[in-house]
Amino acid sequence: MPAARIIPCLDVRDGRVVKGVQFRDHRDVGDIVEHALRYRDEGADELVFYDISASAEDRSLDFDWIRRIGREIDIPFAVAGGLRSREQAAACLEAGADKVSVNSPALERPELIGELARDFGSQCVVLGVDSLARDGAYFIHQYTGRVDRSRDTGLATLDWVREAVDRGAGEVVLNCMSRDGVRNGYDLAHVAAIVAAVPVPVIASGGAGAPEHFRDVLLESGASGALAATVFHDRIIHIPELKEYLASCGIEMRR
């Protein structure tokens, strides 16, 4: 089994890194390139950048900051935010991104996933999933970057993830919305259900607050990696120490 990945997530608005709680009340936490360089130096395996309001504002993300990051770091990174066409995805990859992540635009037009996988390979296509429990089941939410447009699609999370992978998505990032920013642990049962449903890597997102939470999601759910934001941005957890701890728990890590 490949080494587990530790992935800082950087939510971006107006070229700045921001962080909220349960997708609301975002605060500015710093310059995008400074954060990218810090995480590269600390040993992050990958980075993910989300332009959180692009889809809700019916625009694509800003290619300028992708180029700035691509010039500075030498670890893989994915970008997301309003990518609705092959041409926009190509511009992101040409600017230096290694992967593109699609969420709301893929819900608008599922054929987009297959088009990107055909032209760039499934390894470049990540499905972002914003999932929230309702009536004992999990459902997909759309346009979560803006409170006034966020909505429950009524689409069952498992059904959508299976369809998207069948269409060519090569990785899934599962954002458990109720856990976002609250630091009480990943939703292990939900992550495990997604892992069992699809044959591609699944990255857990939402809920990291202690090193034990990373250990639990990697050992108990089968996730290929763990994504987090607040604990890294606020220096509550330091990546080198986290990797040492996880390795001591028998989890293979990249050093």
Side-chain angles (χ1 to χ4, degrees), residues 61-197:
L61 46 72
D62 182 353
F63 304 124
D64 179 62
W65 60 255
I66 301 174
R67 283 190 288 270
R68 290 168 56 207
I69 293 164
R71 287 194 296 263
E72 296 289 345
I73 68 172
D74 55 1
I75 60 174
F77 70 96
V79 296
L83 295 173
R84 290 181 167 84
S85 71
R86 180 219 177 273
E87 290 72 25
Q88 291 171 341
C92 291
L93 297 171
E94 289 168 3
D98 298 274
K99 304 176 186 178
V100 292
S101 180
V102 290
N103 189 330
S104 292
L107 290 162
E108 296 167 4
R109 192 172 69 85
E111 295 81 8
L112 175 64
I113 299 169
E115 293 166 6
L116 298 180
R118 177 198 64 213
D119 288 352
F120 308 117
S122 291
Q123 78 282 353
C124 288
V125 183
V126 180
L127 178 73
V129 176
D130 296 330
S131 183
L132 189 65
R134 173 171 56 82
D135 301 326
Y138 287 90
F139 295 90
I140 295 292
H141 280 240
Q142 190 175 18
Y143 308 130
T144 55
R146 275 184 49 174
V147 174
D148 60 326
R149 287 202 63 189
S150 181
R151 70 184 190 95
D152 184 336
T153 66
L155 181 62
T157 302
L158 277 174
D159 291 343
W160 171 235
V161 169
R162 288 191 183 106
E163 177 184 345
V165 170
D166 286 344
R167 288 180 178 274
E171 185 168 279
V172 175
V173 174
L174 177 65
N175 304 308
C176 298
M177 293 177 64
S178 64
R179 304 295 182 102
D180 179 69
V182 298
R183 307 206 300 267
N184 60 359
Y186 294 95
D187 188 335
L188 301 182
H190 192 22
V191 177
I194 299 298
V195 170

Side-chain angles (χ1 to χ4, degrees), residues 32-61:
I32 189 170
V33 175
E34 289 179 5
H35 274 277
L37 290 171
R38 174 164 74 89
Y39 291 135
R40 177 205 64 185
D41 294 343
E42 290 181 357
D45 296 300
E46 297 180 16
L47 299 175
V48 176
F49 298 88
Y50 290 119
D51 187 323
I52 61 171
S53 58
S55 289
E57 294 174 355
D58 297 319
R59 62 173 175 81
S60 185
L61 46 72

